[in-house]
Amino acid sequence: MSVLAPYACDPARSRGRQHAEPGGEARGPRDIFQRDRDRIIHSISFRRLRHKTQVFVAPDGDHYRVRLTHSLEVAQIGRTIARVLGLNEDLTEALCLAHDIGHPPFGHAGEDALEEALAGQGGFDHNAHCLRTLALLENAYPRFPGLNLSWEMMEGLAKHNGPVLAPNWAMQQIDAAFPLELESWPSLEAQVAALADDIAYDNHDIDDGLRAGILTLEQLLEAPFVRRCWEQVTARYPDLPAEQLLRELIRDQIGIMVNDLIMTTRENLRLHGLEQADVSAVRGAGQAMVAFSDAMREDERQLKRFMYANLYHHPTQLAAAGRARVIVTDLFRAYQADPALMGTAWDASCGAAEPERSRHIADYIAGMTDRFAERAHQEIFGVS
């Protein structure tokens, strides 16, 4: 077992869970963060990620990434970084695995549609909905709602992108029941999870875009970071065809970004006198400690701009997103008019008063997979 650095989250010093759980020791020698990770893996909401959009809506090919495989790749990157920095690997892994659980069907297109549908009822945010799902909507235990995850896990999911100064209604409800100190910075484990997510999708979305034929190598070489990495790869393997080196390019880019992040984070901890500090000092540091260097941050920004221009906003992607928004909007309106269409259990718990009624319907839709939403739409409207 790795030795934890002073600034890591120590399971022995966890702030615990919202609901007491006597007798848990009968289920094996796992600490609180290991149990968090296992609860995520065994949850229904995690399993549903296998049929939720990452980049391509309901992809035809078996080799494209979905939210589930993306989350596994984020966890692999995050755990590697955590091990080198002396952080808690189990907490980091759990945060990485859970970070996308709040996404509705069809990715950001589905989220945009739910945000518009709930415009008068507080709106929709996938990060807040992640906490809502794990704290309230999962129904795995007899004595309490949700998965009853540790304070450190919930805090990390709430704040992995930094302090939350304007929480929406869903985040406010969670914070009121289990205060998460939303105004402070999160643990280093949560900060690692956030940038592991960026590293994963920056690079793996390139892989999927090439596979789909939307991106070409010639286009990619317009991005300075990609061009430099490609020059290194082709110098090592001058006799191999370009097609055989594309995955080597992706691996190199991930490795370079991970190494830059580790070196920069170590330097940040040193400069801020946090090398021997505890996690409370990290939370009070006033800024993120896990970061890229200035040069890598600019490279990463340029790469994101390239991906938005050439992949995420490609005409075929925009057309698919438009269709996805229609499906989610139609379903929301249909359930508003007749909650019985959601099925007995969801209909029975759907009240008449707002905003609870609309939020309840959004909970139901947000839990759908892409294919379930498409099937439900076809059953109601008779069109595909």
Side-chain angles (χ1 to χ4, degrees), residues 3-326:
V3 176
L4 292 177
Y7 44 71
C9 286
D10 184 348
R13 298 181 181 179
S14 170
R15 300 194 195 185
R17 306 186 187 279
Q18 182 179 356
H19 308 285
E21 297 185 28
E25 64 278 356
R27 295 181 179 167
R30 296 170 295 163
D31 66 41
I32 191 169
F33 300 147
Q34 291 168 339
R35 290 177 188 271
D36 282 350
R37 177 201 58 212
D38 296 349
R39 290 179 185 196
I40 294 298
I41 290 173
H42 290 283
S43 69
I44 291 174
S45 52
F46 182 71
R47 293 198 294 274
R48 284 198 296 251
L49 294 178
R50 64 179 171 169
H51 293 299
K52 289 197 175 189
T53 294
Q54 174 61 23
V55 175
F56 299 102
V57 174
D60 293 329
D62 292 335
H63 298 166
Y64 294 107
R65 288 166 177 85
V66 292
R67 289 283 170 191
L68 179 62
T69 55
H70 165 70
S71 297
L72 294 172
E73 290 170 337
V74 175
Q76 178 265 324
I77 294 170
R79 188 152 193 154
T80 297
I81 296 169
R83 181 178 298 121
V84 174
L85 293 175
L87 301 176
N88 189 287
E89 295 179 38
D90 298 310
L91 177 59
T92 304
E93 182 181 20
L95 290 164
C96 291
L97 291 172
H99 80 282
D100 269 353
I101 276 177
H103 274 284
F106 311 121
H108 293 291
E111 181 171 10
D112 290 344
L114 284 181
E115 168 67 16
E116 183 176 345
L118 289 179
Q121 315 300 340
F124 182 89
D125 171 72
H126 77 266
N127 191 48
H129 191 72
C130 174
L131 275 79
R132 180 171 171 80
T133 299
L134 297 175
L136 298 172
L137 302 181
E138 278 280 342
N139 187 24
Y141 295 93
R143 293 194 299 268
F144 46 78
L147 299 184
N148 200 29
L149 300 174
S150 70
W151 186 91
E152 291 78 9
M153 181 72 180
M154 296 295 284
E155 179 231 17
L157 289 172
K159 303 187 297 187
H160 60 276
N161 288 320
V164 181
L165 303 181
N168 80 337
W169 66 270
M171 188 78 76
Q172 290 176 15
Q173 286 184 348
I174 299 299
D175 185 58
F178 197 28
L180 299 174
E181 299 176 4
L182 295 178
E183 71 286 351
S184 68
W185 284 87
S187 66
L188 294 178
E189 285 84 355
Q191 295 180 39
V192 165
L195 288 188
D197 182 28
D198 285 352
I199 293 171
Y201 76 71
D202 282 344
N203 292 286
H204 294 145
D205 289 358
I206 289 176
D207 190 26
D208 280 356
L210 289 167
R211 189 181 304 279
I214 294 178
L215 298 179
T216 66
L217 177 60
E218 289 71 23
Q219 283 178 302
L220 281 170
L221 296 182
E222 296 172 9
F225 175 62
V226 177
R227 185 173 62 251
R228 293 197 304 272
C229 291
W230 181 247
E231 290 170 353
Q232 295 174 12
V233 168
T234 54
R236 289 202 305 271
Y237 302 102
D239 300 325
L240 293 180
E243 295 76 13
Q244 200 169 337
L245 298 179
L246 291 175
R247 296 180 73 183
E248 183 74 3
L249 169 68
I250 302 301
R251 286 191 290 268
D252 266 24
Q253 291 181 179
I254 292 172
I256 290 169
M257 294 176 82
V258 166
N259 288 334
D260 179 274
L261 182 150
I262 290 170
M263 289 187 293
T264 305
T265 300
R266 283 175 167 164
E267 181 64 8
N268 286 343
L269 292 170
R270 185 189 68 80
L271 289 174
H272 290 82
L274 296 174
E275 291 174 299
Q276 298 301 316
D278 64 15
V279 67
S280 64
V282 170
R283 292 192 176 101
Q287 66 181 80
M289 292 293 108
V290 178
F292 295 123
S293 65
D294 290 342
M296 179 57 70
R297 187 181 299 111
E298 181 56 31
D299 280 339
E300 201 262 346
R301 285 173 179 164
Q302 290 181 359
L303 183 56
K304 273 190 170 64
R305 287 195 291 268
F306 170 86
M307 293 296 284
Y308 273 96
N310 294 280
L311 179 61
Y312 306 136
H313 291 166
H314 188 275
T316 60
Q317 293 291 88
L318 293 177
R323 173 60 180 158
R325 283 192 291 271
V326 168

Side-chain angles (χ1 to χ4, degrees), residues 336 339 342 346-358 360-361:
Q336 277 276 24
M342 295 188 291
W346 282 86
D347 177 25
S349 53
C350 186
E354 293 290 3
E356 289 76 14
R357 179 186 178 90
S358 291
H360 180 80
I361 292 169

